[in-house]
Amino acid sequence: MPILRGCDLPEDLYYFVEKHIWAKPMGGGVIRVGMNAVAGKLSGGKLNAVTIKTKAIGGEIAKGKSVATVESSKYVGPVPAPVSGILKKGNDKLAADPNLVIRDPYGEGWIVEIQAAQWEAEKAGLWTGAAGLAAYLAKLEADNISCG
């Protein structure tokens, strides 16, 4: 996994760089969404999450609008959707252990799955691969963020 300024950022994911959110196509138009290692660092490194509340399953979500809210003693904020579509499901494991979003952000710590309405068109607005890592490095340097 590539490490940029101490932050683990897998090259195979799609990034909503400005919001520190990742997206992963799961097949059949389903997109898995989570917060990345940078979001974990910005929330204080150890989230000590009180709750992660997803929006209503089955509801329509517009790109950039909140699909969930993360609340802890140090942070309260939205998890914006990287794509538009229907909120298909939330990660039930987060109810028992919300800190999975920090400990395993790209595995068990995913937040929601969205049935994408226009994945082919909207993925063009996300960053991935070597270009995505370069864009992310530029963002980290511009904002003086490091995870180490």
Side-chain angles (χ1 to χ4, degrees):
M1 180 176 318
I3 306 219
L4 305 176
R5 295 182 59 109
C7 304
D8 295 331
L9 294 163
E11 191 171 2
D12 63 334
L13 298 175
Y14 289 81
Y15 292 101
F16 191 1
V17 173
E18 301 79 22
K19 302 297 183 179
H20 308 296
I21 299 297
W22 59 263
K24 179 179 182 179
M26 302 302 290
V30 174
I31 308 300
R32 185 168 279 176
V33 177
M35 297 180 353
N36 64 30
V38 179
K41 172 64 177 174
L42 293 175
S43 69
K46 280 191 167 185
L47 187 61
N48 295 320
V50 176
T51 57
I52 298 172
K53 297 178 185 174
T54 61
K55 300 292 182 187
I57 302 302
E60 283 191 50
I61 301 292
K63 181 178 179 175
K65 297 298 182 184
S66 178
V67 293
T69 301
V70 175
E71 184 177 333
S72 76
S73 59
K74 294 185 177 185
Y75 175 81
V76 175
V79 176
V83 295
S84 59
I86 304 295
L87 189 56
K88 186 173 178 162
K89 82 181 205 183
N91 185 349
D92 294 336
K93 292 180 181 180
L94 297 180
D97 187 2
N99 288 307
L100 282 171
V101 297
I102 299 296
R103 286 195 323 273
D104 190 12
Y106 310 114
E108 297 295 315
W110 60 274
I111 298 173
V112 297
E113 289 184 347
I114 298 171
Q115 183 69 49
Q118 302 174 36
W119 172 245
E120 289 303 316
E122 289 182 330
K123 75 179 182 181
L126 302 173
W127 292 93
T128 192
L133 294 180
Y136 227 113
L137 181 58
K139 171 75 172 161
L140 295 174
E141 288 175 347
D143 293 349
N144 196 26
I145 298 169
S146 65
C147 297

